[in-house]
Amino acid sequence: MSEPTGKYSITMPRDIAEAARAHGGPSGLSAYVAAAVARQIERDNLNELIQVAEAEHGPVTDEEIQVLRDRLHQARREQARGVADAA
C-alpha cells in the first residue's frame, strides 16, 4: 500500500514547472515532483553522512577516490566478461 498523500501548494518558475509537466508523462506533474524531491532528500542525507564521516576520519583524497573508481571499473569489466563467457 502506498503512503498517504497530501495536497500542497508550491511556487516555482513557470518554465521549470512546464518542463516537469512535460517530463512527467502519464504519471503526471505531482509524481514527477515527488520523485525529484525524494532524490534531493537522499542527496541531502548522503551529504550529511559524508560530513560526519569526514569530521571523524578526515576528507577523502582525490587519489583514494580514483583508486575506488579504478576498482569499480575493473569489477564491471570482470562482470561483463563473466556474463559474456556464460552466454
XYZ file of all heavy atoms in Angstrom:
659
model
N 0.844 -1.177 0.000
C 0.000 0.000 0.000
C 0.894 1.246 0.000
O 1.912 1.284 0.657
C -0.907 -0.041 1.226
C -1.938 1.062 1.238
S -3.066 0.918 2.632
C -4.244 -0.201 1.926
N 0.525 2.249 -0.744
C 1.352 3.447 -0.833
C 1.105 4.368 0.357
O 0.128 4.251 1.083
C 1.058 4.186 -2.143
O -0.270 4.665 -2.127
N 2.040 5.279 0.522
C 1.957 6.251 1.604
C 0.775 7.184 1.377
O 0.421 7.481 0.239
C 3.246 7.078 1.642
C 4.464 6.286 2.052
C 4.441 5.885 3.510
O 3.989 6.679 4.348
O 4.856 4.754 3.796
N 0.171 7.687 2.456
C -0.896 8.676 2.281
C -0.321 9.940 1.648
O 0.850 10.257 1.833
C -1.386 8.947 3.698
C -0.526 8.176 4.621
C 0.425 7.348 3.826
N -1.133 10.608 0.902
C -0.681 11.828 0.240
C -1.397 13.030 0.816
O -2.412 12.906 1.499
C -0.937 11.766 -1.276
O -2.341 11.632 -1.494
C -0.199 10.604 -1.911
N -0.835 14.182 0.541
C -1.445 15.443 0.926
C -1.374 16.384 -0.256
O -0.581 16.187 -1.178
N -2.179 17.384 -0.226
C -2.186 18.367 -1.301
C -1.441 19.600 -0.798
O -1.744 20.105 0.283
C -3.620 18.710 -1.692
C -3.700 19.548 -2.932
C -5.132 19.603 -3.441
C -5.147 20.406 -4.712
N -5.768 19.693 -5.806
N -0.473 20.067 -1.593
C 0.363 21.193 -1.209
C 0.399 22.206 -2.339
O 0.295 21.849 -3.506
C 1.800 20.725 -0.903
C 1.828 19.674 0.170
C 1.805 18.324 -0.150
C 1.845 20.032 1.503
C 1.807 17.352 0.835
C 1.851 19.072 2.501
C 1.829 17.729 2.158
O 1.829 16.773 3.133
N 0.583 23.423 -1.979
C 0.745 24.473 -2.970
C 2.205 24.904 -2.950
O 2.741 25.238 -1.891
C -0.152 25.667 -2.626
O 0.097 26.723 -3.508
N 2.854 24.832 -4.104
C 4.249 25.264 -4.190
C 4.368 26.317 -5.285
O 3.522 26.407 -6.177
C 5.212 24.092 -4.475
C 4.890 23.445 -5.823
C 5.153 23.066 -3.354
C 5.941 22.466 -6.277
N 5.412 27.092 -5.203
C 5.676 28.110 -6.204
C 7.021 27.804 -6.841
O 7.996 27.522 -6.140
C 5.722 29.507 -5.549
O 4.473 29.723 -4.880
C 5.949 30.592 -6.572
N 7.049 27.804 -8.171
C 8.305 27.581 -8.883
C 8.240 28.326 -10.203
O 7.150 28.676 -10.668
C 8.566 26.087 -9.106
C 7.621 25.410 -10.084
S 8.042 23.703 -10.462
C 7.520 22.869 -9.008
N 9.389 28.580 -10.804
C 9.380 29.253 -12.101
C 8.542 28.479 -13.119
O 8.556 27.240 -13.142
C 10.859 29.268 -12.505
C 11.604 29.187 -11.212
C 10.743 28.327 -10.327
N 7.802 29.203 -13.922
C 6.879 28.591 -14.883
C 7.599 27.658 -15.848
O 7.095 26.572 -16.150
C 6.141 29.694 -15.651
C 5.108 29.121 -16.622
C 4.161 30.172 -17.146
N 3.244 30.500 -16.046
C 2.848 31.728 -15.753
N 3.230 32.737 -16.466
N 2.026 31.944 -14.749
N 8.789 28.054 -16.332
C 9.484 27.203 -17.301
C 9.883 25.860 -16.683
O 9.797 24.811 -17.329
C 10.692 27.913 -17.914
C 11.738 28.335 -16.893
O 11.387 28.560 -15.713
O 12.919 28.469 -17.285
N 10.263 25.876 -15.418
C 10.616 24.630 -14.741
C 9.370 23.767 -14.558
O 9.387 22.554 -14.794
C 11.298 24.910 -13.388
C 12.669 25.559 -13.644
C 11.444 23.632 -12.562
C 13.369 26.025 -12.390
N 8.267 24.398 -14.165
C 7.021 23.649 -13.975
C 6.558 23.021 -15.285
O 6.138 21.859 -15.312
C 5.939 24.565 -13.409
N 6.655 23.756 -16.381
C 6.222 23.217 -17.673
C 7.131 22.087 -18.138
O 6.667 21.094 -18.694
C 6.135 24.339 -18.719
C 5.016 25.336 -18.445
C 3.650 24.681 -18.290
O 3.320 23.759 -19.076
O 2.904 25.077 -17.373
N 8.435 22.237 -17.910
C 9.363 21.161 -18.271
C 9.081 19.913 -17.435
O 9.070 18.792 -17.949
C 10.806 21.616 -18.092
N 8.817 20.095 -16.150
C 8.498 18.966 -15.278
C 7.198 18.304 -15.730
O 7.097 17.074 -15.754
C 8.392 19.432 -13.826
N 6.213 19.100 -16.096
C 4.941 18.552 -16.563
C 5.162 17.727 -17.840
O 4.644 16.624 -17.986
C 3.949 19.677 -16.839
C 2.561 19.182 -17.205
C 1.595 20.330 -17.490
N 1.551 21.349 -16.479
C 0.820 21.287 -15.351
N 0.091 20.215 -15.123
N 0.828 22.253 -14.482
N 6.000 18.239 -18.738
C 6.282 17.526 -19.990
C 7.001 16.205 -19.722
O 6.720 15.191 -20.356
C 7.109 18.415 -20.918
N 7.934 16.218 -18.776
C 8.685 15.005 -18.462
C 7.886 14.046 -17.597
O 8.196 12.853 -17.540
C 10.001 15.347 -17.755
C 11.023 15.931 -18.662
N 11.738 15.179 -19.557
C 11.451 17.206 -18.820
C 12.567 15.967 -20.225
N 12.407 17.198 -19.794
N 6.875 14.545 -16.930
C 6.080 13.711 -16.041
C 5.292 12.643 -16.760
O 5.004 11.588 -16.201
N 4.947 12.915 -18.017
C 4.223 11.932 -18.812
C 2.945 11.481 -18.146
O 2.282 12.246 -17.461
N 2.621 10.198 -18.324
C 1.358 9.676 -17.794
C 1.273 9.736 -16.270
O 0.193 9.786 -15.710
C 1.322 8.222 -18.270
C 2.389 8.084 -19.280
C 3.346 9.209 -19.093
N 2.413 9.712 -15.588
C 2.396 9.753 -14.125
C 1.990 11.124 -13.604
O 1.528 11.248 -12.481
C 3.772 9.393 -13.564
O 4.110 8.078 -13.922
N 2.231 12.141 -14.411
C 1.808 13.480 -14.046
C 2.852 14.294 -13.305
O 3.888 13.792 -12.872
N 2.540 15.558 -13.187
C 3.441 16.518 -12.547
C 3.691 16.170 -11.085
O 4.823 16.222 -10.615
C 2.863 17.932 -12.673
C 3.648 19.053 -11.999
C 5.033 19.185 -12.604
C 2.888 20.373 -12.109
N 2.662 15.813 -10.353
C 2.829 15.532 -8.923
C 3.808 14.384 -8.693
O 4.683 14.465 -7.825
C 1.486 15.214 -8.275
O 0.674 16.361 -8.255
N 3.671 13.311 -9.452
C 4.569 12.170 -9.292
C 5.999 12.552 -9.664
O 6.951 12.136 -8.993
C 4.100 10.994 -10.146
N 6.149 13.350 -10.707
C 7.482 13.781 -11.138
C 8.147 14.635 -10.065
O 9.311 14.422 -9.712
C 7.370 14.544 -12.457
C 8.694 14.838 -13.101
C 9.318 13.897 -13.905
C 9.318 16.065 -12.922
C 10.534 14.157 -14.505
C 10.536 16.336 -13.518
C 11.144 15.384 -14.308
O 12.348 15.656 -14.891
N 7.400 15.585 -9.533
C 7.941 16.475 -8.496
C 8.240 15.675 -7.225
O 9.285 15.866 -6.595
C 6.988 17.648 -8.220
C 7.424 18.443 -7.003
C 6.900 18.555 -9.443
N 7.364 14.750 -6.847
C 7.599 13.936 -5.659
C 8.884 13.115 -5.804
O 9.669 13.012 -4.855
C 6.406 13.021 -5.399
N 9.113 12.545 -6.984
C 10.336 11.766 -7.219
C 11.571 12.659 -7.145
O 12.596 12.266 -6.582
C 10.260 11.061 -8.568
N 11.472 13.861 -7.695
C 12.605 14.792 -7.658
C 12.921 15.205 -6.226
O 14.089 15.272 -5.825
C 12.310 16.014 -8.523
N 11.900 15.474 -5.440
C 12.107 15.860 -4.041
C 12.692 14.685 -3.264
O 13.610 14.855 -2.446
C 10.790 16.374 -3.410
C 10.945 16.570 -1.914
C 10.360 17.677 -4.079
N 12.218 13.474 -3.526
C 12.757 12.291 -2.849
C 14.244 12.122 -3.155
O 15.042 11.821 -2.260
C 11.980 11.039 -3.259
N 14.628 12.324 -4.428
C 16.054 12.239 -4.791
C 16.865 13.307 -4.070
O 17.982 13.053 -3.616
C 16.226 12.377 -6.304
C 15.962 11.102 -7.067
C 16.412 11.190 -8.524
N 15.867 12.335 -9.236
C 14.683 12.367 -9.827
N 13.895 11.317 -9.786
N 14.282 13.446 -10.465
N 16.324 14.502 -3.954
C 17.045 15.576 -3.268
C 17.222 15.247 -1.793
O 18.283 15.497 -1.215
C 16.328 16.917 -3.434
C 17.112 18.086 -2.849
C 18.458 18.278 -3.518
O 18.560 18.267 -4.744
N 19.505 18.443 -2.721
N 16.208 14.686 -1.170
C 16.322 14.294 0.236
C 17.405 13.228 0.395
O 18.214 13.283 1.333
C 14.961 13.802 0.772
C 13.991 14.989 0.875
C 15.110 13.097 2.121
C 12.547 14.596 1.128
N 17.467 12.252 -0.531
C 18.522 11.242 -0.488
C 19.893 11.889 -0.594
O 20.828 11.519 0.131
C 18.337 10.229 -1.610
C 17.156 9.307 -1.413
C 16.896 8.418 -2.617
O 17.562 8.581 -3.665
O 16.013 7.548 -2.506
N 20.043 12.853 -1.485
C 21.322 13.568 -1.633
C 21.677 14.330 -0.357
O 22.824 14.319 0.088
C 21.265 14.550 -2.797
C 21.332 13.912 -4.131
C 21.253 14.976 -5.202
N 21.728 14.437 -6.451
C 21.970 15.172 -7.516
N 21.766 16.471 -7.493
N 22.404 14.600 -8.620
N 20.688 15.007 0.212
C 20.937 15.756 1.449
C 21.379 14.816 2.566
O 22.327 15.112 3.308
C 19.689 16.529 1.877
C 19.321 17.645 0.912
O 20.165 18.041 0.073
O 18.167 18.129 0.991
N 20.708 13.672 2.688
C 21.083 12.687 3.709
C 22.483 12.154 3.479
O 23.261 11.990 4.420
C 20.074 11.546 3.745
C 18.730 11.965 4.300
O 18.611 12.981 4.986
N 17.711 11.190 3.995
N 22.821 11.873 2.224
C 24.161 11.392 1.897
C 25.211 12.452 2.231
O 26.257 12.134 2.805
C 24.245 11.003 0.418
C 25.586 10.454 -0.055
C 26.009 9.243 0.764
C 25.517 10.108 -1.526
N 24.935 13.700 1.898
C 25.873 14.773 2.229
C 26.086 14.893 3.733
O 27.210 15.134 4.188
C 25.409 16.101 1.639
C 25.664 16.179 0.157
O 26.584 15.555 -0.358
N 24.851 16.947 -0.544
N 25.024 14.701 4.511
C 25.171 14.724 5.968
C 26.067 13.588 6.442
O 26.934 13.787 7.303
C 23.807 14.630 6.644
C 22.976 15.890 6.522
C 21.589 15.736 7.132
O 21.391 14.852 7.996
O 20.697 16.506 6.728
N 25.880 12.390 5.878
C 26.730 11.256 6.241
C 28.189 11.516 5.878
O 29.099 11.187 6.639
C 26.248 9.986 5.543
C 24.954 9.378 6.067
C 24.498 8.246 5.148
C 25.128 8.881 7.485
N 28.410 12.102 4.723
C 29.771 12.422 4.292
C 30.411 13.412 5.255
O 31.573 13.252 5.650
C 29.773 12.960 2.844
C 29.427 11.831 1.868
C 31.122 13.601 2.498
C 29.133 12.306 0.461
N 29.660 14.430 5.656
C 30.199 15.421 6.589
C 30.579 14.783 7.923
O 31.637 15.072 8.483
C 29.194 16.547 6.804
C 29.045 17.449 5.609
C 27.936 18.478 5.785
O 27.236 18.500 6.791
N 27.779 19.341 4.793
N 29.735 13.891 8.423
C 30.029 13.206 9.682
C 31.272 12.335 9.530
O 32.174 12.359 10.381
C 28.814 12.368 10.147
C 29.195 11.435 11.292
C 27.671 13.280 10.555
N 31.350 11.579 8.445
C 32.499 10.700 8.223
C 33.780 11.501 8.061
O 34.826 11.133 8.614
C 32.256 9.822 6.995
N 33.716 12.605 7.314
C 34.915 13.414 7.122
C 35.332 14.103 8.409
O 36.523 14.290 8.658
C 34.709 14.423 5.993
C 34.734 13.771 4.626
C 34.675 14.766 3.479
O 34.226 15.918 3.678
O 35.077 14.375 2.367
N 34.381 14.481 9.236
C 34.727 15.090 10.522
C 35.459 14.082 11.406
O 36.382 14.435 12.148
C 33.469 15.605 11.219
N 35.053 12.824 11.307
C 35.658 11.788 12.139
C 36.962 11.253 11.551
O 37.911 10.984 12.275
C 34.677 10.634 12.312
C 35.159 9.570 13.272
C 34.107 8.521 13.562
O 32.901 8.816 13.416
O 34.505 7.409 13.932
N 37.008 11.091 10.215
C 38.153 10.415 9.584
C 38.979 11.303 8.671
O 39.978 10.855 8.126
C 37.655 9.214 8.768
C 36.876 8.234 9.576
N 37.452 7.384 10.478
C 35.540 7.985 9.640
C 36.519 6.646 11.052
N 35.348 6.998 10.559
N 38.556 12.525 8.459
C 39.246 13.409 7.531
C 38.669 13.256 6.131
O 37.983 12.272 5.831
N 38.931 14.237 5.284
C 38.367 14.185 3.931
C 38.989 13.061 3.097
O 40.120 12.652 3.320
C 38.715 15.551 3.348
C 39.840 16.058 4.166
C 39.716 15.426 5.526
N 38.209 12.567 2.155
C 38.689 11.562 1.215
C 39.498 12.286 0.149
O 39.054 13.301 -0.395
C 37.501 10.804 0.578
C 37.995 9.776 -0.419
C 36.651 10.152 1.654
N 40.676 11.765 -0.151
C 41.535 12.424 -1.134
C 41.123 12.041 -2.553
O 40.460 11.013 -2.767
C 43.009 12.027 -0.929
O 43.154 10.627 -1.222
C 43.483 12.321 0.483
N 41.533 12.850 -3.509
C 41.277 12.541 -4.916
C 41.911 11.212 -5.303
O 41.347 10.453 -6.092
C 41.809 13.655 -5.821
C 41.013 14.942 -5.707
O 39.841 14.885 -5.246
O 41.548 16.006 -6.082
N 43.076 10.920 -4.737
C 43.750 9.669 -5.042
C 42.939 8.471 -4.539
O 42.814 7.465 -5.235
C 45.159 9.645 -4.422
C 46.125 10.630 -5.043
C 45.938 12.076 -4.541
O 45.315 12.282 -3.471
O 46.387 12.991 -5.244
N 42.370 8.579 -3.338
C 41.547 7.494 -2.803
C 40.303 7.280 -3.665
O 39.905 6.143 -3.927
C 41.130 7.808 -1.362
C 42.280 7.748 -0.375
C 41.915 8.297 0.992
O 41.210 9.325 1.066
O 42.340 7.677 1.987
N 39.710 8.368 -4.105
C 38.534 8.273 -4.972
C 38.908 7.581 -6.280
O 38.192 6.704 -6.758
C 37.932 9.665 -5.239
C 37.323 10.215 -3.947
C 36.895 9.612 -6.353
C 36.899 11.668 -4.024
N 40.047 7.935 -6.852
C 40.467 7.334 -8.115
C 40.735 5.839 -7.957
O 40.366 5.044 -8.821
C 41.704 8.040 -8.676
C 42.041 7.593 -10.084
C 40.887 7.833 -11.052
O 40.330 8.919 -11.118
N 40.514 6.804 -11.803
N 41.353 5.436 -6.852
C 41.602 4.008 -6.604
C 40.280 3.251 -6.567
O 40.136 2.181 -7.170
C 42.396 3.810 -5.294
C 42.355 2.349 -4.845
C 43.829 4.272 -5.456
N 39.286 3.808 -5.883
C 37.982 3.147 -5.795
C 37.279 3.118 -7.142
O 36.638 2.118 -7.489
C 37.112 3.827 -4.739
C 37.622 3.664 -3.306
C 36.783 4.500 -2.348
C 37.629 2.210 -2.893
N 37.406 4.193 -7.920
C 36.820 4.191 -9.263
C 37.473 3.124 -10.132
O 36.786 2.414 -10.875
C 36.980 5.565 -9.912
C 35.993 6.581 -9.426
C 36.101 7.859 -10.219
N 35.088 8.791 -9.763
C 35.259 10.092 -9.636
N 36.413 10.638 -9.959
N 34.294 10.858 -9.203
N 38.788 3.015 -10.033
C 39.502 2.001 -10.810
C 39.037 0.596 -10.425
O 38.823 -0.251 -11.298
C 41.010 2.125 -10.612
C 41.586 3.396 -11.234
O 40.892 4.040 -12.063
O 42.723 3.767 -10.862
N 38.861 0.349 -9.134
C 38.376 -0.957 -8.677
C 36.974 -1.234 -9.210
O 36.670 -2.357 -9.621
C 38.350 -1.018 -7.154
C 39.690 -1.154 -6.510
C 39.528 -1.319 -5.017
N 40.796 -1.158 -4.332
C 40.914 -1.017 -3.026
N 39.838 -1.009 -2.256
N 42.105 -0.881 -2.479
N 36.123 -0.218 -9.187
C 34.765 -0.385 -9.685
C 34.771 -0.711 -11.173
O 34.078 -1.632 -11.618
C 33.945 0.885 -9.419
C 32.511 0.890 -9.932
C 31.696 -0.220 -9.292
C 31.871 2.247 -9.657
N 35.569 0.019 -11.944
C 35.649 -0.239 -13.386
C 36.189 -1.641 -13.659
O 35.691 -2.343 -14.545
C 36.507 0.817 -14.082
C 35.893 2.178 -14.092
N 34.641 2.450 -14.581
C 36.382 3.368 -13.661
C 34.372 3.735 -14.446
N 35.410 4.315 -13.885
N 37.178 -2.056 -12.880
C 37.736 -3.400 -13.046
C 36.682 -4.452 -12.729
O 36.525 -5.434 -13.462
C 38.966 -3.592 -12.151
C 39.598 -4.962 -12.262
C 40.145 -5.248 -13.648
O 40.593 -4.351 -14.348
N 40.104 -6.503 -14.051
N 35.924 -4.261 -11.653
C 34.880 -5.217 -11.280
C 33.807 -5.285 -12.364
O 33.313 -6.376 -12.693
C 34.263 -4.824 -9.940
N 33.462 -4.151 -12.947
C 32.466 -4.144 -14.023
C 32.987 -4.876 -15.258
O 32.239 -5.600 -15.914
C 32.067 -2.714 -14.371
C 31.169 -2.078 -13.329
C 30.795 -0.677 -13.711
N 29.873 -0.111 -12.735
C 29.653 1.172 -12.588
N 30.284 2.061 -13.350
N 28.806 1.610 -11.682
N 34.270 -4.691 -15.576
C 34.851 -5.397 -16.721
C 34.837 -6.904 -16.478
O 34.485 -7.682 -17.359
C 36.278 -4.905 -16.987
C 36.350 -3.545 -17.658
C 37.759 -3.226 -18.148
N 38.723 -3.115 -17.069
C 38.995 -1.990 -16.404
N 38.367 -0.874 -16.701
N 39.900 -1.971 -15.440
N 35.208 -7.307 -15.263
C 35.208 -8.725 -14.934
C 33.799 -9.297 -14.968
O 33.588 -10.418 -15.457
C 35.844 -8.945 -13.560
C 37.333 -8.682 -13.546
C 37.942 -8.718 -12.155
O 37.236 -9.082 -11.180
O 39.135 -8.385 -12.040
N 32.834 -8.545 -14.493
C 31.442 -8.993 -14.517
C 30.964 -9.135 -15.958
O 30.299 -10.116 -16.302
C 30.559 -8.011 -13.757
C 29.110 -8.446 -13.672
C 28.253 -7.451 -12.923
O 28.520 -6.248 -12.961
N 27.242 -7.927 -12.246
N 31.299 -8.182 -16.804
C 30.898 -8.244 -18.205
C 31.525 -9.452 -18.896
O 30.875 -10.122 -19.693
C 31.281 -6.948 -18.918
N 32.787 -9.735 -18.579
C 33.441 -10.913 -19.147
C 32.750 -12.185 -18.679
O 32.545 -13.112 -19.450
C 34.918 -10.948 -18.777
C 35.800 -10.136 -19.687
C 37.255 -10.514 -19.512
N 37.731 -10.280 -18.163
C 38.359 -9.183 -17.747
N 38.586 -8.202 -18.579
N 38.766 -9.066 -16.499
N 32.367 -12.225 -17.396
C 31.677 -13.401 -16.863
C 30.334 -13.625 -17.525
O 29.974 -14.756 -17.826
N 29.623 -12.561 -17.798
C 28.330 -12.669 -18.482
C 28.539 -13.139 -19.912
O 27.823 -14.007 -20.403
C 27.572 -11.311 -18.445
C 26.363 -11.332 -19.355
C 27.165 -10.983 -17.021
N 29.547 -12.603 -20.578
C 29.839 -12.995 -21.961
C 30.272 -14.466 -22.030
O 29.890 -15.196 -22.935
C 30.909 -12.097 -22.555
N 31.064 -14.903 -21.048
C 31.527 -16.294 -21.028
C 30.371 -17.256 -20.772
O 30.368 -18.384 -21.278
C 32.596 -16.496 -19.954
C 33.901 -15.774 -20.295
O 34.073 -15.398 -21.470
O 34.725 -15.572 -19.385
N 29.386 -16.830 -19.993
C 28.239 -17.690 -19.668
C 27.273 -17.813 -20.831
O 26.487 -18.759 -20.881
C 27.516 -17.142 -18.436
N 27.321 -16.872 -21.750
C 26.364 -16.876 -22.882
C 26.721 -17.848 -23.958
O 27.501 -18.628 -24.044
C 26.284 -15.482 -23.495
